Amino acid sequence: MTELDFSHDPAARSWLASAQAPGADFPIQNLPFGVVRRRGSQEALRGAVAIGDQALDLAALHGRSVLTGDAAQALALAAQPALNAFMAAGPATWRALRHALFNALRDDAPPAVQQAVAGCLIPLTDVEHALPTRLGDYTDFYTSLHHAVNVGKLLFPDRPLTPNFQWLPIAYHGRASSVVVSGTDFHRPHGQAMPPGAAAPVYTPCTRLDYELEMGFFIGPGNAMGQPVKLDAAEQHIFGMCLLNDWSARDHQFWEMAPLGPFLGKNFCTSISPWIVTMDALVPYRVPFERPEGDPQPLAYLDGAANRAAGGVDVQLSVGIESAQHRAHGLPAAEVSRTSFHHQYWTIAQMLTQHTVGGCNLQAGDLCGTGTISGPTHAEAGAIVELSVGGTQPITLAGTGEQRTFLQDGDAVILSGWCEKPGAARIGFGSCRGTVLPALAD
Amino acid sequence: MTELDFSHDPAARSWLASAQAPGADFPIQNLPFGVVRRRGSQEALRGAVAIGDQALDLAALHGRSVLTGDAAQALALAAQPALNAFMAAGPATWRALRHALFNALRDDAPPAVQQAVAGCLIPLTDVEHALPTRLGDYTDFYTSLHHAVNVGKLLFPDRPLTPNFQWLPIAYHGRASSVVVSGTDFHRPHGQAMPPGAAAPVYTPCTRLDYELEMGFFIGPGNAMGQPVKLDAAEQHIFGMCLLNDWSARDHQFWEMAPLGPFLGKNFCTSISPWIVTMDALVPYRVPFERPEGDPQPLAYLDGAANRAAGGVDVQLSVGIESAQHRAHGLPAAEVSRTSFHHQYWTIAQMLTQHTVGGCNLQAGDLCGTGTISGPTHAEAGAIVELSVGGTQPITLAGTGEQRTFLQDGDAVILSGWCEKPGAARIGFGSCRGTVLPALAD
């Protein structure tokens, strides 16, 4: 884990006023990366950094030669239409650019620098996003004990937790092609489901559509095939984190998934938030990785002092459902759960090391999901199948009073995330949003 | 399915003598596509077609302007360092190039054409291969009833076949980054396994290393997200087929796979044969898709007249193990099983339709595996875990008399495939080879 440095100073202020607005997600201490262009345009996509209510267009900044040295070289990579090359360049490159952008945006930057940078800003309301990388592979982990028990009880009441859960971070390969950026809506999927008590399955639009509150992390420098990454080196291979919604068709999933895991129940759509918060920005929010007392300790290859001391990340998370009625009446989305990422049973370093232990090669720009994030109490559950106890106990949406067991057409699901504590700047992830459109006519 | 045309004429001969050698895999009626360069060189990769004992360098041919019209445009795509754009172009483009190459290689081609084409040939012994496409996603199906029962008996003796098997082609997402071309060796993977009767898992090099005899198929034109492909249109989205070895670490796999499926047990390496045999070349070998009597019929979206009439492909398949002793004594690999692809329970069209039924988008150049191909008898099993009944009954390797329950270091596994019948030209797939290297020091 990186040390704290001047770029984490909570007292630092930007010459851009919106960066220090109360509750701002993107103060000068954050500087998350994404890929943008002007909304509705056919402009080339390019890298950008969020600051206050603006996107700093890195291609435009590259053209102005404000940065020099290592930072200028890093900027050339980060300005590209996808961030793979920048992610591949590694922590020193990421940090060189972070520090240079921090200095250029700080309120004591020379007026000429301020003016040049100001000319590269685009209001966030005027940008549209693309995926931050050309995605190679996407892997989804399963690292919340509470989620595993909640869902396990529905599927296997007599043995909710598989015996491997406490020994390794379970994962499966997901579908990369259907990972989309926040704001991309999707149609309710068709598929096969086996109705309770039926003799044969049916072909049907999903009747048990769900979201999953997750975080994602992007791979920095990859590893060669056959060359595992040790736990102590794992975080040097992680660029940053985002919010991730692993939309799930539970009726299709639960019918198809034995014995080889989820497939169509997941691969119709996976949404991520547009801005990737760097591991550098998260340094103030690292927390000890604590195993519940009496639980098995990780095997040696998944254990280490640094991971125990600060392997966790304390990110606050919230899920909102905004129904068509909410929109019609101008009401805010109803919050349906709130939790923290630090409850996960495995750290992102452990996930990365496990992924490579057999020699699997990760590539720069690959995406990993953490699995659903459910906290220890019912109100902290990260999926509606848990909140509604398998669809048996409807939840009520604040504002409209509507009831939900699963998602209905027109429902938008909005994930939000942020880090906040005394003595550190707030670091926000923005939001991840997607709306369920009706199933297409067959 | 395409109709037979002049390019399937079994009497057609090439001016290249090796194309009609007895038992040749690559006669003029085949014309499979791959990506090559001269062995050991740093030349640019480019598309090629196998003919007899030669690779026809399509980039070189493109430079000679031998082809015209649609075929010349197709050639420009097929000459690229990866075949994604060619696959995206669709069946009419594929066929235009097939027909033009057939005419240029046929023994009645004008001498000037023969001379120009001959100048673009590289002996197969002098080429090295790359993956034929920039792989987007890789999906592995599970469509052999016999394999599912054989393996199911080892894992769940009381219910070897999951209730969904006969209703849908089961699949899971695989790892694209570790798909390699034939000839790429790999180290025995480390990982976690739970020894029988143990209280805690161990971290260990794989002790139950296996191969899986599969075929692969490559996606041609993709489908947009949210737009399923109907069964009758499915084969227009399939470019061709290859051999695939889904190497498996059974001890790691069986410990990790509940509840989300195989992950590290598979993602350390997947090998494919270098030449992709087009669906056009396989037209003479299409066979009816027959369900065992009394089995459930597919739901309507997975059923259709064309699929019933000719959804199958009759490819003969063989697995050989070549141990270090075989090599030391100059002995041929020991054949350990032989079967046919037509035994599969689902067709490739059904697999593709199922993959997209929920809206998952496929992209040109994506790879799908068929799952292990095991025939109805024990000798037709496509994995050593089946042949050795879970490692309890060793098999004996012809030639050396060595015994195997699982693979040992130094073992090379060689998959071969071909189509052959009276009245049609033999269509070969060549081979898919990989060697197990010792586990790396930890």
Side-chain angles (χ1 to χ4, degrees), chain A residues 206-278:
Chain A
C206 174
T207 59
R208 295 163 74 89
L209 187 62
D210 203 351
Y211 60 85
E212 288 190 345
L213 167 65
E214 301 194 15
M215 296 194 71
F217 59 92
F218 278 88
I219 303 303
N223 61 302
M225 199 171 146
Q227 301 289 337
V229 177
K230 300 289 183 196
L231 187 68
D232 283 348
E235 287 212 14
Q236 296 171 39
H237 294 265
I238 301 178
F239 174 74
M241 303 187 72
C242 64
L243 306 171
L244 186 151
N245 186 341
D246 179 25
W247 303 95
S248 299
R250 299 295 184 196
D251 44 350
H252 303 160
Q253 179 193 342
F254 289 0
W255 169 233
E256 77 181 347
M257 71 183 283
L260 298 183
F263 181 58
L264 302 177
K266 303 281 193 172
N267 70 12
F268 57 93
C269 189
T270 305
S271 302
I272 62 171
S273 55
W275 296 108
I276 310 172
V277 175
T278 63

Side-chain angles (χ1 to χ4, degrees), chain A residues 164 167 175 177 192 361 366, chain B residues 167 175 177 192 361 366:
Chain A
N164 52 10
W167 291 103
R175 179 81 193 176
S177 71
Q192 256 189 54
N361 52 322
D366 285 352
Chain B
W167 292 104
R175 179 82 193 175
S177 71
Q192 255 190 53
N361 51 323
D366 286 352

Side-chain angles (χ1 to χ4, degrees), chain A residues 286-369:
Chain A
R286 303 308 298 261
V287 292
F289 164 64
E290 286 164 356
R291 271 286 161 87
E293 205 157 340
D295 279 14
Q297 291 306 310
L299 296 187
Y301 78 97
L302 290 174
D303 200 5
N307 189 63
R308 284 177 184 239
V313 194
D314 192 20
V315 184
Q316 309 306 312
L317 297 161
S318 169
V319 181
I321 296 181
E322 177 195 276
S323 72
Q325 280 198 40
H326 285 97
R327 284 193 295 282
H329 296 98
L331 295 167
E335 184 173 72
V336 295
S337 67
R338 187 180 275 226
T339 187
S340 164
F341 181 61
H342 86 265
H343 294 303
Q344 295 303 95
Y345 201 78
W346 297 96
T347 67
I348 56 173
Q350 289 170 320
M351 296 182 215
L352 188 135
T353 288
Q354 178 70 5
H355 202 320
T356 65
V357 68
C360 180
N361 52 322
L362 306 180
Q363 299 181 311
D366 285 352
L367 175 63
C368 292

